[in-house]
Amino acid sequence: MEKNLLYSIQSPSDLRELKVEELRQVCAELRDFILKSNAENPGHLGANLGVVELTVALHYVYNTPFDRLIWDVGHQAYGHKILTGRRDEFHTNRKFKGLCGFPSREESIYDAFGVGHSSTSISAGLGMSVGTSLSGEDRKVVAVIGDGSMTGGMAFEGLNNAAITKSDILVVLNDNQMAIDPNVGGVSQYLVNMSTSTAYNKLRNDVWNLLGSMNSFGPKARKIVHQTQMGLKSMLLRSSNLFEGLNFRYFGPIDGHDTENMVRIMEDLKRIKGPKLLHVITKKGKGFKPAEDDQTKWHAAPGRFDTETGLVIKTTTNKEEKSPIKYQDVFGETIVELSMKNENIVGITPAMPTGCSMNKMMREFPERSFDVGIAEQHAVTFSAGLACEGKMPFCNIYSSFMQRAYDQVIHDVALQKLDVTFFLDRGGLVGADGATHHGVFDLAFLRIIPNMTIAAPMDEWELRDMMYTYQDFGYGPVSIRYPRGKGVRVDWKNEMHKVAPGVGRMLRQGEKIAVLSLGHPGNFVSEALDQIEISSGYQFTHYDMRYVKPLDVNIIQQIASGNYDYVVTVEDGVIQGGFGSAVLEELSLFSYKGGVIRLGVPDHFVEHGTQDDLYRVCEFDVDGIKNKLEELISKL
Ligand SMILES: Cc1ncc(C[n+]2csc(CCOP(=O)(O)OP(=O)(O)O)c2C)c(N)n1
Ligand SMILES: CC(=O)[C@@H](O)[C@H](O)COP(=O)(O)O
Ligand SMILES: [Mg+2]
């Protein structure tokens, strides 16, 4: 019985003890481990299966953690974590109080940089490389970036700067021609041309072999061969190499599943000074046919699954019984419904067509929907340009990714009062993706921008009514945010009607305590008030405020003069500067003398877990709201 090598590896130094011929077995065992652990505890499967060989080669060649290894986005770092001492706790990946789903400096010394949002690895790596050389240390720095993340502008900011610093950084471009959906844009096409040019590839193989055979001929000869290769490569590719043009020595493309060859080439590259880029070709989902065949579906495993058949195991929550659909699908269905009548509507998404369900619009109206790549800043200003030409952009950006485009919202949209309607999906605590992906800041960072309308629907009907309303011109910039996951209505497809900006709605009349909620957590409030009425007979007032901006000051005025002992606000966002702060500010203008309690996300980053775990720890789940109200009842 063959000894399991993976279980003999407690750290990369154990890996480096092995013979290079044994790495093939390590890769097979690692791939099997990743597949089986994801079958039980679903995570980002496809990307991780695709970098098994690359991960092993990198930890084999580079002296991690002394040499720095940075993963871009970091969703593909499961193998890295398993090889760096976290194999035995990997079953806790993305679970509450378990391992983070992305590299995290506080989790391990092997996690050189915390990631989650894309396109940061080159900048961080360059910083480490420059920092290292300033300290006079001979430390190697490697940044692994995917072809999708390479469409993010920040990646080019890093490349641009590296060009003049002559830093000894290696950028490994993991090219699988996929983002979550198929990768898009000129960079992607360039990479495809690069890796599919037959003439170039024949030359490359011949020259690599020659280069390899000249190991003993000393650096001068090797430099001549390399320059020859570069000249021929530029000629064959009919365009100078993009990366060479940026002063990066370009190597590749090579097979990102050939571990031994990668080891050999990486050993070579360690001896070459200056910025280098190694272009590796991999297959997303490698080794698991369902994930190879449907790479978007298996970017993240859709649930627990059978490793033989790929069949997703039905759980009680996702059985066929009629249940509400996801907010994102309400968006996707409704933008299509509206676009059939309103030809001004155009849809924009920065590389999340499936994630935000813009793919429905892309299928129905391909000429009016745009996946612009992982480029949130561009998405916003591109939308602004579309608005200038009389289009009605519905720009859908995950709340946490919108953080990337803050200036564009201010400078390019709000200042010019352009009619752009933003849909901030994943608004609030998202769950397993954790602190990097919780969309908890948007209410606070957007409400201070003049000319903005900021809305949060409490359910699917509200979302559709807001979409129906803000498809029209004249409202200026509007942000409509909703959470990851399902709404509350099985019968989600209402007859839509217009809503008035800045007008909230009373859901329940009571006394002594007024609860003001914003968005989806209003449903938790309704449930908590029902339970309170049954348990204590108290009837409190509940308003769904619908908007952070403009706030419904008529409601605030009624409350301020309505003899309430307490006002409680509830939001799925940071309390500091969010909806609750807006209410507090407004109440103070009406000299309200009662107590104000703000429930929401406290002033610290929230870790990963299920959404229910996190609502609970932030104390704005049903029980948290109920407990707070019962505490107040004791003071009435
Ligand atoms: C700023 C930002 N925008 C969007 C995302 C969502 N996202 C996560 S992975 C991914 C695709 C990454 O593609 P690539 O870099 O090629 O990695 P692969 O999954 O192909 O290995 C996207 C768009 C993100 N993490 N960060
Ligand atoms: C790694 C990454 O950023 C995306 O894959 C993200 O995890 C998608 O989030 P959703 O699963 O909420 O679409
Ligand atoms: Mg990719």
Side-chain angles (χ1 to χ4, degrees):
M1 167 85 162
E2 197 175 49
K3 177 180 171 244
N4 183 304
L5 294 175
L6 182 68
Y7 276 85
S8 68
I9 297 167
Q10 308 314 328
S11 79
S13 50
D14 299 333
L15 176 71
R16 294 189 275 263
E17 293 295 317
L18 300 176
K19 294 196 289 299
V20 69
E21 296 76 22
E22 293 178 290
L23 299 183
R24 182 187 303 271
Q25 182 187 333
V26 173
C27 291
E29 291 166 353
L30 180 56
R31 179 167 275 110
D32 187 57
F33 186 96
I34 289 171
L35 182 64
K36 291 200 168 87
S37 59
N38 265 265
E40 286 306 311
N41 176 22
H44 287 101
L45 179 63
N48 282 286
L49 291 174
V51 297
V52 163
E53 289 79 11
L54 176 60
T55 305
V56 168
L58 285 164
H59 279 294
Y60 189 75
V61 171
Y62 288 91
N63 179 26
T64 53
F66 176 78
D67 290 341
R68 304 299 192 213
L69 175 56
I70 301 137
W71 295 92
D72 204 287
V73 180
H75 62 306
Q76 77 289 60
Y78 295 178
H80 159 82
K81 293 201 173 199
I82 291 159
L83 292 174
T84 55
R86 288 165 277 183
R87 182 195 57 239
D88 296 341
E89 54 184 318
F90 194 71
H91 62 281
T92 71
N93 185 39
R94 295 159 51 91
K95 288 182 185 294
F96 188 56
K97 301 298 179 201
L99 291 177
C100 174
F102 305 96
S104 159
R105 285 172 60 87
E106 64 188 37
E107 186 176 288
S108 167
I109 53 167
Y110 289 94
D111 295 1
F113 199 67
V115 283
H117 287 188
S118 87
S119 317
T120 62
S121 61
I122 298 171
S123 301
L126 184 61
M128 290 177 200
S129 180
V130 170
T132 286
S133 50
L134 287 174
S135 311
E137 287 172 314
D138 180 22
R139 188 192 307 274
K140 303 295 180 200
V141 176
V142 181
V144 182
I145 184 168
D147 58 305
S149 301
M150 192 57 96
T151 64
M154 189 174 169
F156 282 86
E157 292 170 18
L159 291 174
N160 180 56
N161 189 200
I164 56 166
T165 58
K166 303 265 180 291
S167 291
D168 193 9
I169 180 174
L170 172 66
V171 172
V172 178
L173 173 55
N174 171 36
D175 183 3
N176 54 24
Q177 292 161 27
M178 288 293 291
I180 295 176
D181 299 85
N183 200 3
V184 296
V187 169
S188 169
Q189 195 48 55
Y190 175 82
L191 294 175
V192 168
N193 295 342
M194 176 91 88
S195 50
T196 55
S197 152
T198 42
Y200 161 63
N201 274 312
K202 169 130 181 28
L203 163 87
R204 180 190 38 77
N205 287 330
D206 297 349
V207 172
W208 267 127
N209 296 336
L210 176 62
L211 198 63
S213 65
M214 298 184 73
N215 260 327
S216 54
F217 279 70
K220 268 201 180 319
R222 297 167 55 74
K223 192 168 165 52
I224 291 166
V225 171
H226 178 76
Q227 282 165 342
T228 311
Q229 182 200 22
M230 286 300 106
L232 287 168
K233 184 186 286 187
S234 302
M235 183 179 71
L236 282 164
L237 285 174
R238 293 188 301 282
S239 65
S240 66
N241 179 297
L242 174 68
F243 304 106
E244 292 279 341
L246 289 172
N247 235 8
F248 268 75
R249 298 275 297 274
Y250 170 86
F251 301 89
I254 63 170
D255 178 359
H257 299 299
D258 182 340
T259 315
E260 291 185 37
N261 187 43
M262 279 194 287
V263 166
R264 185 170 65 80
I265 289 169
M266 287 174 185
E267 289 293 1
D268 267 349
L269 295 178
K270 275 172 74 170
R271 287 192 286 273
I272 300 174
K273 291 291 178 202
K276 300 166 286 297
L277 186 134
L278 176 62
H279 183 185
V280 300
I281 306 295
T282 61
K283 188 174 186 66
K284 201 161 182 178
K286 177 83 175 177
F288 181 53
K289 195 165 183 333
E292 292 185 5
D293 294 347
D294 189 342
Q295 295 174 340
T296 297
K297 174 182 174 184
W298 289 91
H299 165 82
R304 292 179 58 233
F305 62 92
D306 180 300
T307 55
E308 295 303 318
T309 63
L311 282 177
V312 177
I313 297 159
K314 289 281 176 220
T315 57
T316 47
T317 49
N318 62 10
K319 277 216 166 47
E320 288 318 310
E321 78 211 14
K322 287 286 275 176
S323 76
I325 67 172
K326 294 177 182 175
Y327 276 107
Q328 69 181 78
D329 290 327
V330 175
F331 167 81
E333 298 291 343
T334 307
I335 186 175
V336 169
E337 188 181 337
L338 295 173
S339 296
M340 289 188 177
K341 299 190 183 91
N342 181 345
E343 62 186 18
N344 294 320
I345 294 175
V346 287
I348 301 97
T349 170
M352 301 303 287
T354 299
C356 77
S357 298
M358 186 67 83
N359 52 359
K360 299 174 192 295
M361 177 75 175
M362 296 170 89
R363 275 194 293 273
E364 287 297 324
F365 298 101
E367 75 291 348
R368 289 162 56 190
S369 21
F370 306 92
D371 173 359
V372 298
I374 309 181
E376 288 79 9
Q377 296 177 340
H378 166 66
V380 170
T381 307
F382 174 62
S383 299
L386 285 160
C388 292
E389 295 304 326
K391 297 304 163 199
M392 179 70 248
F394 275 19
C395 179
N396 193 310
I397 303 183
Y398 282 24
S399 167
S400 75
F401 302 156
M402 174 60 103
Q403 291 159 192
R404 277 280 167 88
Y406 191 46
D407 181 53
Q408 283 74 17
V409 173
I410 295 172
H411 181 272
D412 300 328
V413 181
L415 187 60
Q416 302 184 95
K417 299 193 188 75
L418 291 173
D419 290 335
V420 176
T421 300
F422 294 107
F423 292 87
L424 269 53
D425 194 342
R426 284 28 176 207
L429 295 166
V430 296
D433 275 340
T436 52
H437 286 61
H438 292 322
V440 295
F441 304 108
D442 62 279
L443 298 176
F445 70 65
L446 289 177
R447 81 175 178 98
I448 57 175
I449 304 174
N451 304 329
M452 285 295 297
T453 295
I454 302 164
M458 182 171 154
D459 59 34
E460 300 87 333
W461 292 356
E462 288 286 296
L463 173 56
R464 282 170 52 83
D465 289 346
M466 289 174 182
M467 292 180 73
Y468 181 70
T469 303
Y470 297 109
Q471 65 171 315
D472 290 338
F473 297 120
Y475 291 106
V478 177
S479 169
I480 300 169
R481 59 104 75 170
Y482 47 86
R484 182 179 202 270
K486 295 182 175 179
V488 292
R489 293 183 182 279
V490 173
D491 56 341
W492 58 272
K493 198 165 186 175
N494 66 328
E495 189 62 37
M496 291 180 276
H497 65 277
K498 287 197 184 277
V499 293
V503 174
R505 56 179 180 153
M506 178 185 272
L507 297 178
R508 181 184 310 239
Q509 170 82 54
E511 56 183 19
K512 295 197 178 293
I513 297 177
V515 185
L516 278 60
S517 64
L518 183 84
H520 184 76
N523 300 291
F524 308 159
V525 173
S526 296
E527 173 65 29
L529 291 177
D530 287 344
Q531 292 181 20
I532 290 267
E533 283 179 24
I534 292 165
S535 62
S536 65
Y538 273 98
Q539 294 212 333
F540 299 136
T541 296
H542 178 201
Y543 286 96
D544 164 26
M545 295 299 281
R546 284 198 179 111
Y547 295 86
V548 175
K549 189 172 193 176
L551 203 57
D552 187 332
V553 285
N554 294 328
I555 289 176
I556 301 293
Q557 189 170 21
Q558 284 167 38
I559 288 170
S561 55
N563 191 25
Y564 288 103
D565 296 53
Y566 295 101
V567 173
V568 177
T569 64
V570 185
E571 63 197 290
D572 188 357
V574 290
I575 294 167
Q576 308 273 60
F579 164 67
S581 295
V583 169
L584 192 60
E585 291 159 16
E586 206 62 35
L587 282 170
S588 67
L589 298 179
F590 290 102
S591 310
Y592 172 69
K593 296 288 182 276
V596 180
I597 291 88
R598 298 175 293 167
L599 298 181
V601 175
D603 187 23
H604 61 72
F605 289 105
V606 178
E607 63 185 294
H608 50 280
T610 66
Q611 281 178 307
D612 289 344
D613 288 330
L614 304 179
Y615 293 146
R616 184 181 68 253
V617 297
C618 290
E619 298 180 330
F620 66 89
D621 62 340
V622 174
D623 287 344
I625 296 165
K626 209 175 89 186
N627 294 341
K628 179 54 73 180
L629 291 171
E630 284 167 347
E631 182 192 315
L632 297 178
I633 286 170
S634 68
K635 297 175 185 173
L636 291 176

